[in-house]
Amino acid sequence: MPEPLIHTTTRRIVMGEVDVAQIHFTMLMAWMDRALSEWIAEAGHPFTDLLVTGPGIPIVDVHVAIEKRMLLDDMITLRTAIGGIGNSSFRSRHLFTRGDEVC
């Protein structure tokens, strides 16, 4: 079975994920981490296996551009894919959408 190219998950923004400005940016990081972990596990390489064979997958650089506010009770879809593969690293790409709108 070929590895999936994209992992997709949809979730509702709940009260514990917001502050007065609505969704807190740290939640976006947590969602990206979870989506990457799930994508890797679905592809047959769970982190538990990666930690046995090497250092795992350290995150060394993160860039986030927020185009639209995400609000309490919004249904947000997160699409995660590999954005590039190097000799000793790879890039993951994450896209947050609300319906057809990029967030």
Side-chain angles (χ1 to χ4, degrees):
M1 179 172 161
E3 295 182 353
L5 298 176
I6 296 176
H7 175 274
T8 301
T9 186
T10 300
R11 59 188 305 149
R12 178 181 307 277
I13 297 176
V14 298
M15 189 64 111
E17 297 168 330
V18 298
D19 60 14
V20 258
Q22 292 301 318
I23 192 166
H24 196 270
F25 72 93
T26 58
M27 293 311 307
L28 301 178
M29 301 298 175
W31 288 10
M32 290 185 289
D33 178 62
R34 181 176 202 87
L36 181 61
S37 296
E38 289 175 357
W39 183 87
I40 288 170
E42 289 171 6
H45 308 287
F47 270 105
T48 49
D49 291 353
L50 294 173
L51 292 172
V52 169
T53 60
I57 301 175
I59 306 295
V60 297
D61 191 26
V62 176
H63 297 270
V64 176
I66 300 171
E67 295 184 20
K68 302 276 183 176
R69 287 176 59 188
M70 290 176 257
L71 310 171
L72 181 64
D73 279 327
D74 279 355
M75 293 300 293
I76 301 295
T77 298
L78 171 55
R79 290 175 183 82
T80 298
I82 298 302
I85 299 174
N87 293 328
S88 62
S89 65
F90 69 91
R91 289 188 175 132
S92 59
R93 298 283 186 226
H94 307 271
L95 179 66
F96 292 88
T97 56
R98 177 179 40 232
D100 293 331
E101 179 181 42
V102 173
C103 295

